[in-house]
Amino acid sequence: MVRFGVVGTNWITEAFIKGASHNEDFQLAAVYSRTEERAAEFAGKHGVNTIFTDLEEMAKSNVIDAVYIASPNSMHASQAITFMENGKHVLCEKAIASNSSELAEMINIAKNHNVVLMEALKSTLMPNFKAIQENLHKIGKVRRYFASYCQYSSRYDKYKEGKVLNAFNPEFSAGSLMDIGIYCIYPLVVLFGEPKSVQANGYVLESGVDGEGSLILKYDEMDAVIMFSKITDSTLPSEIHGEDGNIRIDKISTPEKVEIIYRDGKTENISREQLADNMFYEADEFITLIQQGRQQSANNSLENSRITMSILDEARKQMGVRFPSDK
């Protein structure tokens, strides 16, 4: 049994608990919120007796073995470090940190304290992503990876009314690249590793974060084209183009239908059954790592998080997006 604490009491924490509960070794043991009222309300809903409003006190307590962090991006590093220094394993929402220097410190502390640190990027641990990995050879030499994730944010309406919420505030290391562009970048890194170069363009809002953007990443024998937005929608699927065919992915953030279209026109459905509560897969991976005494996931490895973060840093630099967290 792995006893979890959660930091953050929003919809994503709800989804995580729902998904993680499919693993019989998951136990929700404590809830943190800045206000006692919110912590008590959330804990009561999930039948939990222990609440904290002091993060350090929670990290030092003996009621949890691990923590799931779903606070704003800018808080990830400091909160994760507090828990890891107290011997707690950390599953941290994406983006795992604000920048590469924060992540380097987090990785160092995870290794020194012999705890698991993993980025909670669900898609690369889902059965349909594993189907992509296992069938990639069928499309021959890969020449292009194309991924699109554009989803109009409900918070953008508030932004246009003059109210800057967390999602569009640089103080929280936010923006479309960090919040949803990462869903396009991380799978690319898991499949193809580190690119040779990154070219980025984007529209930067007056608040100082990007509303939308695009990337071109160069590899030795292929390139990658990525589009992301929080101020427009798109229904485009994502694709991996090979010389013998292409793999079409319905949603890069949550692949549900995956098929191969061969050059001769034949199609092969390689989709697999998945739980609707799809955050199960990241929780299951994380719990397995703890139980087996392994420090890293194969797909959501610290190295893949490092490469992804270096791409995010370079893209932001080229777009002119700077966070207070940047040194």
Side-chain angles (χ1 to χ4, degrees):
M1 186 66 71
V2 178
R3 301 167 306 159
F4 275 75
V6 292
V7 174
T9 51
N10 51 22
W11 68 269
I12 195 126
T13 310
E14 294 275 11
F16 172 75
I17 293 166
K18 207 172 169 195
S21 296
H22 288 277
N23 185 312
E24 57 188 19
D25 288 328
F26 170 82
Q27 183 191 340
L28 182 61
V31 170
Y32 166 86
S33 183
R34 283 168 300 172
T35 71
E36 196 169 329
E37 185 186 13
R38 180 65 183 138
E41 181 197 339
F42 193 89
K45 194 159 137 188
H46 295 283
V48 174
N49 298 320
T50 310
I51 63 166
F52 293 94
T53 53
D54 183 311
L55 204 83
E56 193 123 348
E57 190 187 330
M58 185 183 189
K60 285 182 161 69
S61 79
N62 60 5
V63 298
I64 61 165
D65 309 303
V67 66
Y68 168 70
I69 296 176
S71 53
N73 298 338
S74 58
M75 299 174 185
H76 289 175
S78 62
Q79 291 178 343
I81 287 166
T82 299
F83 283 102
M84 290 190 293
E85 285 179 336
N86 285 281
K88 306 298 190 284
H89 305 288
V90 173
L91 179 61
C92 187
E93 260 310 325
K94 52 83 207 155
I96 194 168
S98 296
N99 52 50
S100 294
S101 61
E102 283 187 354
L103 179 56
E105 189 185 355
M106 290 163 79
I107 291 171
N108 196 32
I109 287 167
K111 287 176 177 171
N112 288 345
H113 288 82
N114 199 30
V115 292
V116 178
L117 170 65
M118 191 179 97
E119 190 158 8
L121 197 289
K122 65 180 180 180
S123 56
T124 45
L125 298 166
M126 290 168 68
N128 276 322
F129 185 79
K130 293 190 175 172
I132 295 166
Q133 287 178 298
E134 288 164 21
N135 287 278
L136 194 59
H137 66 279
K138 293 181 180 176
I139 64 168
K141 195 79 183 162
V142 173
R143 295 304 187 189
R144 173 166 294 132
Y145 168 99
F146 166 74
S148 169
Y149 188 14
C150 304
Q151 185 173 292
Y152 188 94
S153 169
S154 55
R155 295 172 181 88
Y156 187 51
D157 290 333
K158 294 280 184 199
Y159 179 85
K160 289 191 284 188
E161 288 166 13
K163 189 174 182 185
V164 181
L165 298 172
N166 293 8
F168 292 103
N169 190 340
E171 292 284 336
F172 294 107
S173 304
S176 69
L177 174 71
M178 297 291 282
D179 291 343
I180 65 177
I182 190 170
Y183 277 114
C184 300
I185 299 165
Y186 209 107
L188 169 72
V189 171
V190 176
L191 292 169
F192 303 108
E194 191 157 16
K196 301 287 175 193
S197 66
V198 177
Q199 276 180 275
N201 285 292
Y203 172 66
V204 180
L205 300 166
E206 281 179 17
S207 69
V209 304
D210 60 297
E212 60 85 44
S214 58
L215 307 179
I216 297 174
L217 304 103
K218 183 168 169 44
Y219 288 80
D220 281 335
E221 297 183 298
M222 60 169 275
D223 71 356
V225 179
I226 285 170
M227 304 191 310
F228 49 91
S229 174
K230 289 183 87 167
I231 59 174
T232 57
D233 281 325
S234 172
T235 54
L236 281 177
S238 296
E239 292 190 324
I240 302 169
H241 303 164
E243 292 186 357
D244 298 332
N246 66 292
I247 295 177
R248 184 186 293 158
I249 306 149
D250 63 342
K251 290 182 284 191
I252 197 68
S253 61
T254 318
E256 286 169 6
K257 187 179 181 188
V258 186
E259 56 185 347
I260 301 175
I261 298 101
Y262 294 99
R263 270 195 307 116
D264 63 5
K266 286 188 186 131
T267 63
E268 181 186 356
N269 186 347
I270 57 168
S271 310
R272 293 179 183 172
E273 276 191 36
Q274 293 177 160
L275 287 172
D277 298 327
N278 52 47
M279 289 182 82
F280 159 75
Y281 300 103
E282 65 189 59
D284 187 61
E285 178 89 349
F286 183 66
I287 288 167
T288 302
L289 293 175
I290 294 169
Q291 291 176 331
Q292 293 181 354
R294 291 190 290 133
Q295 265 198 306
Q296 288 189 54
S297 160
N299 279 12
N300 290 21
S301 66
L302 295 175
E303 178 63 3
N304 286 340
S305 290
R306 182 200 67 76
I307 294 167
T308 300
M309 188 57 68
S310 70
I311 294 169
L312 295 172
D313 282 355
E314 181 57 29
R316 283 198 298 115
K317 186 178 165 189
Q318 290 183 27
M319 288 193 292
V321 174
R322 189 165 172 83
F323 299 142
S325 314
D326 296 334
K327 300 269 190 310

